Amino acid sequence: MLNADDLLALGPLLALLAATVLTLLLVAVRRSHGLAAGTAAVGLLACLALLPGAARLAPRDVDGLLLLDPAGLFYLGLISLAALATCLMAYAYLERFDGRREEFYVLLLAATLGAGSVVLSDHFAAFFLGLELMSVSLFALIAYPAARQRPLEAGIKYLILAGLSSALLAFGIALIYYDSGSLQFSGFGACFGARPMGATGQAWLLLAGNALLLAGLGFKLSLVPFHLWAPDVYEGAPAPAAGFLATVSKGAIAAMLVRYAGETQLHDQPAMIVLLELAAILSIAAGNLLALLQDNLKRLLAYSSIAHLGYLLVAVIAGGTLGAEAVAYYLLAYFAMNLGAFGVIAALSSGRRDGEGEADRLEDYRGLFWHKPLLAGILTVNLLSLAGIPLTIGFIGKFYLFASGVGAARWLLVAALVAGSIVGLFYYLRVVIVLFARQPAAPAPGIAGNGAAWASALTLSFLALTLVWLGLYPEPAMELIRSVHAPFYRTEVSRLRLRPPPLRPSLRM
Amino acid sequence: MTAAFYLAAAIALLATLRVVTGFDAVHALLYLIVSLLAVAVAFFLLGAPFAAALEVLIYAGAVVVLFVFVVMMLNLGEKAAAQEERWLQPGIWIGPAILSGLLLVELLGILWGLPGVPGRAAVTARQVGAALYGPYLLAVELASMLLLAAVVGAYHIGRHRPEEGRDG
């Protein structure tokens, strides 16, 4: 059962939960856009403020469902920061939305809570529920302007594919449970490692279970060949929701994959590693090549995010402490870059009347620098960082991935990473050239005349400064990531495992 | 006992196959209910009578009720009556009827203890409740948040809004 220390350790998650309910109740009492956004922002800040307290108690195992280790809490912090940025940008974006705006923040907080449970989960029940909470909230966020056709279409596409991926996950989990008799990640880790493949009659069950699990996660991460939904959904979703989808939902799954691989010794299963390698190389190739053909900025970012998840898999496959650190740093970079890029789209779209659609065609950005230098400058920094140009955080992140790939001697993956980055330069720089073109398009109504524009401008400037600062001086972030991945915590976690498992009814056949 | 399980599983598979290959929503619905009932029998045979009862009550029961509500709200008038008459033709209900008849025979066989009632210790509702409010308390909390988010999302998207345009 829970005790006082458990509650303190769960503080950040409880803050998110309380903020969700409080925002909902306030909406019921009085509808005010500023109040809802403010409550959500305060809730996210409270979650961040409670993190150090929780970290002092880490690592801590709560009922065998959640494992609060420093790395998981780091990801929770990252997710909360991303949600805070989304919240502020959505405040500016929704100001001229002529429908109900307040529910957006309730759903945003619920999705953040789901993502937080996913990164801290140590048990398939907690993982699956967190994932569903995230997906269901995201589907409503994507289809938020439900009076328009394209967001609704995108929402339905996401809903159906999220359902399919959940079905695959549930099937995979059932097979793994049938074979190992445990739903806790650490519970069946031993059973993976100890048994050579094909040695017993049931090994194929584990193999099939893990393959289904990876396919389900692949849908959420939009890895090739499960990527077909991503461009359509990104294009249809309102820009702040698309940014949240690209960063938080994918980042949470990627962080969970790292934890899962570590706890279950996935690296001892060569077949799984081959599958992951295949997905990584195909994602890098397809994402980059298809991005070259796009003339819609949101679709371009969707394909680029497919490629970036492929890069990230290089470090997941490399594994070990260096691999986990590389994933953490790259996710930090990936969050900042994508939130910034989608934030600029949101800022340019927020001046438009409902129904005109979003400023997402490349044409909308022709010569943007000459009438909106700040937004164009921020977008340029984000695109250069996505391309991995030195002096930005994207370069340091890629370098980290490169180092982990080299360290694990995964030469094919390293070659794909380098080749993909070179192709990537073309389409990112193409957008930058359009931004500085001399013939400006008809000036977009843009952010001016919007009373909430300051929130968006503040967030975007902060994100852009972070990109450059952590690109020039990456030490503080690296130190933090290294300290949360210290080997000391691994031994602490294995010591926690020696306790008898909590009572659980056996439903095995 | 094992044979009974495989019979229920085979019925579930066959019915599910008909759900996904059928073109008529009502056909598919009938087979879906048979499939859910078969899964409930399988649960019962595995020693989980509580899960079996929930399967029947929530899935088979609620799906039918929801569908009836949707039909009632959407298809009003003579056209709907004609359609309902079409649904009552034997070609439509004979397949699900045979399958659910098989299930009924199987269930009666189990209840009268032909090859032996499940030999293993059954998981009672009390044990399920103790697990949910003991080690799985956090999971229950997460599930409640999931329902809350689903309700808020459905409310927002499904809200009737005459004042706004239909398309943009």
Side-chain angles (χ1 to χ4, degrees):
Chain A
M1 288 305 291
L2 299 174
N3 58 33
D5 272 0
D6 281 342
L7 287 179
L8 195 59
L10 284 174
L13 285 183
L14 293 178
L16 287 177
L17 198 147
T20 314
V21 176
L22 189 67
T23 313
L24 186 67
L25 290 178
L26 283 176
V27 171
V29 174
R30 183 164 166 269
R31 275 195 178 271
S32 148
H33 187 204
L35 187 65
T39 319
V42 169
L44 289 165
L45 285 174
C47 168
L48 287 168
L50 287 169
L51 274 177
R56 226 169 288 129
L57 294 166
R60 188 168 194 89
D61 171 281
V62 183
D63 278 352
L65 288 174
L66 300 178
L67 174 68
L68 304 156
D69 67 350
L73 291 172
F74 167 80
Y75 285 119
L76 178 59
L78 197 58
I79 286 167
S80 305
L81 279 174
L84 187 62
T86 308
C87 176
L88 289 171
M89 293 187 301
Y91 179 56
Y93 178 86
L94 290 175
E95 191 57 31
R96 286 181 67 176
F97 175 71
D98 53 357
R100 296 197 161 171
R101 313 174 184 123
E102 292 79 10
E103 284 88 343
F104 191 92
Y105 302 97
V106 180
L107 293 166
L108 184 72
L109 285 170
T112 311
L113 177 66
S117 324
V118 167
V119 296
L120 293 172
S121 62
D122 189 38
H123 191 283
F124 274 129
F127 162 65
F128 197 75
L129 284 168
L131 187 72
E132 286 301 295
L133 176 53
M134 188 167 81
S135 309
V136 166
S137 315
L138 267 173
F139 138 72
L141 286 175
I142 291 168
Y144 199 79
R148 298 208 323 248
Q149 201 182 355
R150 277 168 64 190
L152 204 56
E153 184 190 325
I156 288 172
K157 275 182 186 159
Y158 184 77
L159 181 70
I160 291 174
L161 281 166
L164 180 61
S165 101
S166 299
L168 289 175
L169 278 174
F171 199 1
I173 292 170
L175 290 181
I176 293 171
Y177 180 60
Y178 180 69
D179 193 65
S180 66
S182 168
L183 285 172
Q184 204 170 2
F185 294 169
S186 54
F188 50 86
C191 140
F192 282 8
R195 201 165 49 192
M197 294 312 297
T200 66
Q202 283 187 342
W204 66 272
L205 275 180
L206 256 185
L207 196 64
N210 263 330
L212 284 167
L213 191 77
L214 287 186
L217 295 180
F219 266 112
K220 299 280 179 194
L221 293 172
S222 71
L223 295 170
V224 176
F226 311 110
H227 65 290
L228 289 169
W229 59 273
D232 288 356
V233 171
Y234 281 37
E235 192 188 353
F244 190 77
L245 173 68
T247 55
V248 170
S249 94
K250 288 190 179 181
I253 304 284
M256 176 269 167
L257 186 60
V258 171
R259 171 181 275 197
Y260 180 78
E263 295 252 338
T264 62
Q265 291 139 27
L266 200 67
H267 289 84
D268 293 344
Q269 289 191 297
M272 289 303 117
I273 297 303
V274 169
L275 283 184
L276 279 176
E277 272 185 340
L278 210 61
I281 292 171
L282 285 176
S283 300
I284 293 174
N288 279 315
L289 292 176
L290 291 172
L292 286 172
L293 308 172
Q294 305 306 318
D295 55 1
N296 178 309
L297 190 58
K298 275 172 150 180
R299 290 184 83 86
L300 189 147
L301 285 173
Y303 283 112
S304 109
S305 109
I306 293 171
H308 279 274
L309 263 296
Y311 300 152
L312 194 70
L313 273 193
V314 174
V316 174
I317 294 165
T321 313
L322 185 61
E325 283 175 20
V327 170
Y329 200 88
Y330 200 72
L331 277 181
L332 173 67
Y334 174 82
F335 271 44
M337 302 184 293
N338 275 290
L339 283 173
F342 280 103
V344 172
I345 299 178
L348 281 174
S349 309
S350 60
R352 299 194 161 196
R353 288 228 159 270
D354 206 33
E356 265 180 66
E358 304 219 319
D360 54 3
R361 292 172 309 138
L362 218 45
E363 274 309 299
D364 295 333
Y365 292 84
R366 184 166 296 281
L368 183 74
F369 178 75
W370 307 106
H371 47 92
K372 291 202 194 331
L374 179 67
L375 282 180
I378 290 171
L379 187 57
T380 307
V381 171
N382 279 306
L383 289 169
L384 292 179
S385 183
L386 280 165
I389 304 282
L391 301 186
T392 59
I393 193 171
F395 175 74
I396 310 279
K398 259 191 197 141
F399 191 79
Y400 229 138
L401 294 183
F402 186 81
S404 75
V406 169
R410 301 271 176 191
W411 301 113
L412 191 59
L413 289 175
V414 170
L417 172 64
V418 172
S421 305
I422 293 170
V423 178
L425 276 179
F426 283 100
Y427 58 85
Y428 293 124
L429 291 184
R430 193 162 65 106
V431 181
V432 173
I433 289 169
V434 168
L435 284 178
F436 290 88
R438 259 303 180 182
Q439 326 87 328
I447 198 160
N450 182 335
W454 60 268
S456 170
L458 188 77
T459 316
L460 286 173
S461 313
F462 179 75
L463 283 171
L465 282 179
T466 314
L467 283 181
V468 178
W469 180 55
L470 286 181
L472 289 171
Y473 182 57
E475 298 303 322
M478 277 186 182
E479 275 307 311
L480 177 67
I481 285 167
R482 221 170 275 149
S483 71
V484 299
H485 287 95
F488 160 72
Y489 293 118
R490 295 294 322 151
T491 50
E492 278 290 293
V493 168
S494 24
R495 207 171 50 73
L496 278 177
R497 298 271 179 256
L498 293 178
R499 289 188 327 187
L503 176 77
R504 206 160 271 140
S506 165
L507 292 169
R508 285 203 73 188
M509 194 175 167
Chain B
M1 163 64 204
T2 315
F5 173 78
Y6 281 112
L7 180 62
I11 292 174
L13 276 180
L14 194 64
T16 312
L17 196 69
R18 297 285 297 163
V19 174
V20 292
T21 53
F23 288 104
D24 192 326
V26 183
H27 285 200
L29 182 88
L30 288 177
Y31 279 110
L32 179 64
I33 293 165
V34 175
S35 162
L36 293 169
L37 291 176
V39 171
V41 172
F43 269 133
F44 184 76
L45 287 169
L46 290 174
F50 185 63
L54 287 185
E55 184 85 19
V56 174
L57 283 177
I58 295 174
Y59 287 89
V63 167
V64 180
V65 170
L66 266 183
F67 190 80
V68 169
F69 278 179
V70 169
V71 169
M72 277 165 58
M73 284 192 291
L74 294 184
N75 292 341
L76 294 173
E78 285 174 26
K79 214 175 140 197
Q83 198 175 24
E84 274 174 34
E85 199 151 320
R86 199 165 53 78
W87 285 342
L88 287 176
Q89 282 165 8
I92 289 174
W93 52 261
I94 202 85
I98 291 173
L99 287 180
S100 44
L102 270 175
L103 274 180
L104 181 66
V105 171
E106 188 184 346
L107 191 66
L108 291 177
I110 297 163
L111 287 181
W112 271 306
L114 282 181
V117 186
R120 74 198 70 245
V123 181
T124 61
R126 187 194 176 92
Q127 278 169 297
V128 174
L132 283 183
Y133 286 91
Y136 288 105
L137 183 63
L138 286 177
V140 174
E141 288 290 324
L142 270 179
S144 70
M145 285 306 292
L146 172 59
L147 292 180
L148 181 72
V151 167
V152 172
Y155 164 75
H156 176 76
I157 290 170
R159 201 168 57 88
H160 188 54
R161 45 182 108 60
E163 75 278 11
E164 293 167 29
R166 283 188 148 246
D167 196 5

